[in-house]
Every structure is written in C-alpha cells, then in structure tokens.
Amino acid sequence: MSLRQLVWLLVVVCVGFAAWQLLRALIVARRTPPRATSAPAVTVVDEEGAEDDGFDYAPALRPRPVTPAPAAPQAASDAVVERSADTFQLELESRHLRREVAELRALVSRQHAEIDALQLEVAGLRTQLEDAGASASGVSPEYSESLRLAEQGMAAEEIAARCGITVAEAELVLSLARSRGAPR
C-alpha cells in the first residue's frame, strides 16, 4: 500500500469518526429535555488543583441538579434592570431622532436657500424676456430706420438713397408699413 492510499484511508476514517460523533450528539440532544434556565458557568478546583470550567462533558450520565426558583428580591431587581434597559433604549432612540431632526432641518434650510436663488433667477429671466419682447417689433434692426422713414411717408427711392439699401428692399419696407396701417 502506498503512502497516498494510507493518507486517504486515514482521512476517510477521520471523516467517519466525526460523522459518528455528530450523530451521537444529535441523538443525545433529542433525548434530554430542554432546560428552562441555564446554570452559570462555575470554575471548580478539585483536590489535585486542576480547574474544571463547569462544562458538562457527559450530560446523559450525570444530570445537573435543578436550581431553585429565584426569590422575590431577585424578581424586583430584574424589574429594575428591565426598566433601566427600557430607559436606555428610549434614550438611545431619542438621541437618534434628535440627530435625524437636526439633519432634516439643515436639509430644509438648504432647500429654502436654493428656492430663493431659483426665484431670483426666474425673476431675472422674466425681466429679460419682457425686455426682449418689447424690443422685438417684428422688424429686423437693419430695417428699423427705413421702416420709420416709410411710416413718415417717404418714397421708395428716397428711403433707398438715405439708408443705403436697394429700391426693391425699400419697396418691401413700404409694403410692410402699409400692411401695418401706416399712411404712405
């Protein structure tokens, strides 16, 4: 038999042993009734000076003695501990809620500042739009002077000579002035 086969055989035996121990532990756990309260861990020193950590290595063989029910003073101290735990929990929740409220207040103040800035920006844009609407009369700025002269009643040749545009453009400006209702 080779060394490799021996190692595999040892691994299989160890796995089998671990499975057997696990199975035994599960069977023992089913047979023993559950305990209502767990006993505190006690370190016991025997005659030889060796320490025992209180762990019961064979619970089916040596049953633990049942501890008596706690007396009334123990119940009163448990109630005090319970109230202090509730108080601690409430104080913790209160601090958490105060922190959240402070964060939300800061967020709201930032949002108010942003809203104010946006309102100022909208007001500025509205003013620009009104200014642009008032200045845009539907006529190109290049022809505004020629339109004003046409509305005063000048002829197309005079407008062309004065504004430096062609006679055809001056006639178009005159027709635009007429369509607006201005006299010729």
Side-chain angles (χ1 to χ4, degrees), residues 60-103:
L61 300 177
R62 292 181 289 164
R64 282 192 179 249
V66 178
T67 57
Q74 180 67 24
S77 68
D78 287 345
V80 169
V81 168
E82 184 68 30
R83 271 188 255 129
S84 67
D86 287 342
T87 305
F88 176 75
Q89 183 66 28
L90 290 174
E91 181 65 29
L92 191 64
E93 288 175 6
S94 173
R95 286 182 183 178
H96 179 70
L97 290 174
R98 284 187 193 126
R99 188 178 318 121
E100 283 184 13
V101 166
E103 290 172 0

Side-chain angles (χ1 to χ4, degrees), residues 102-164:
E103 290 172 0
L104 289 174
R105 283 183 180 161
L107 176 66
V108 167
S109 66
R110 283 193 310 265
Q111 288 176 342
H112 281 298
E114 288 179 20
I115 288 171
D116 292 341
L118 289 173
Q119 285 176 343
L120 288 173
E121 186 177 345
V122 166
L125 290 174
R126 191 171 286 144
T127 305
Q128 286 179 356
L129 182 62
E130 290 170 356
D131 291 344
S135 68
S137 60
V139 179
S140 173
E142 180 181 343
Y143 297 105
S144 62
E145 183 184 353
S146 57
L147 182 63
R148 186 177 46 81
L149 294 174
E151 288 173 349
Q152 290 176 359
M154 285 189 143
E157 293 79 19
E158 292 175 7
I159 294 173
R162 228 172 175 192
C163 296

Side-chain angles (χ1 to χ4, degrees), residues 10-81:
L10 183 63
V11 167
V12 168
V13 168
C14 287
V15 169
F17 180 72
W20 171 252
Q21 290 298 325
L22 179 65
L23 183 63
R24 280 186 56 206
L26 289 175
I27 291 172
V28 168
R30 283 188 185 166
R31 287 184 188 167
T32 58
R35 290 184 240 176
T37 59
S38 62
V42 178
T43 303
V44 179
V45 178
D46 59 4
E47 302 86 35
E48 299 170 4
E51 288 187 4
D52 183 18
D53 60 358
F55 183 76
D56 195 0
Y57 290 96
L61 300 177
R62 292 181 289 164
R64 282 192 179 249
V66 178
T67 57
Q74 180 67 24
S77 68
D78 287 345
V80 169
V81 168

